[in-house]
């Protein structure tokens, strides 16, 4: 099935521990078949630029490389953006 090739990538900028990130992942659970969740640990040396940008804001989400939301999951915003992308791919 080629559907997974067209799935948008939702990037979660996170670090350990991150209770807000854990909560965000729980909220995303029912939607996860609609995107690929990619986690970026901002504390890793190769992610220093993200650390500088987001250390006070995690969790931060990007959808297909574009900033989407931070601090908590805005389901309506996520839903709107996923629908937009799904319509484009049909």
């Amino acid at each position: 099935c080629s559907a997974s090739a067209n799935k948008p990538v939702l990037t979660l900028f996170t670090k350990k521990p991150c209770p807000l990130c854990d909560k965000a992942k729980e909220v995303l659970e029912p939607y996860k078949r609609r995107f690929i969740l990619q986690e970026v640990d901002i504390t890793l040396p190769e992610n220093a630029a993200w650390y500088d940008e987001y250390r006070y804001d995690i969790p931060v989400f990007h959808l297909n490389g574009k900033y989407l939301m931070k601090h908590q999951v805005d389901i309506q915003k996520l839903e709107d953006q996923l629908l937009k992308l799904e319509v484009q791919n049909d």
Side-chain angles (χ1 to χ4, degrees):
C1 175
S2 66
S4 67
N6 288 332
K7 272 191 192 175
V9 176
L10 184 68
T11 307
L12 164 59
F13 293 89
T14 184
K15 66 182 182 187
K16 299 269 187 268
C18 177
L20 285 174
C21 302
D22 297 338
K23 175 88 182 95
K25 285 190 276 188
E26 282 174 31
V27 173
L28 290 170
E29 191 65 29
Y31 299 88
K32 71 177 191 192
R33 63 180 172 69
R34 294 174 61 193
F35 55 80
I36 296 158
L37 183 64
Q38 175 187 40
E39 292 188 43
V40 175
D41 183 338
I42 63 170
T43 63
L44 297 176
E46 64 268 26
N47 296 326
W50 293 119
Y51 180 81
D52 293 342
E53 192 163 340
Y54 290 147
R55 72 180 138 192
Y56 301 118
D57 289 321
I58 61 167
V60 175
F61 294 92
H62 286 193
L63 189 61
N64 282 354
K66 292 196 185 94
Y67 173 83
L68 181 65
M69 57 196 168
K70 66 183 179 185
H71 300 150
Q72 62 191 35
V73 175
D74 179 337
I75 287 298
Q76 193 56 57
K77 191 178 234 180
L78 177 65
E79 185 70 42
D80 291 349
Q81 294 303 313
L82 286 174
L83 274 174
K84 241 184 243 178
L85 291 168
E86 287 161 1
V87 167
Q88 283 171 7
N89 287 334
D90 278 347

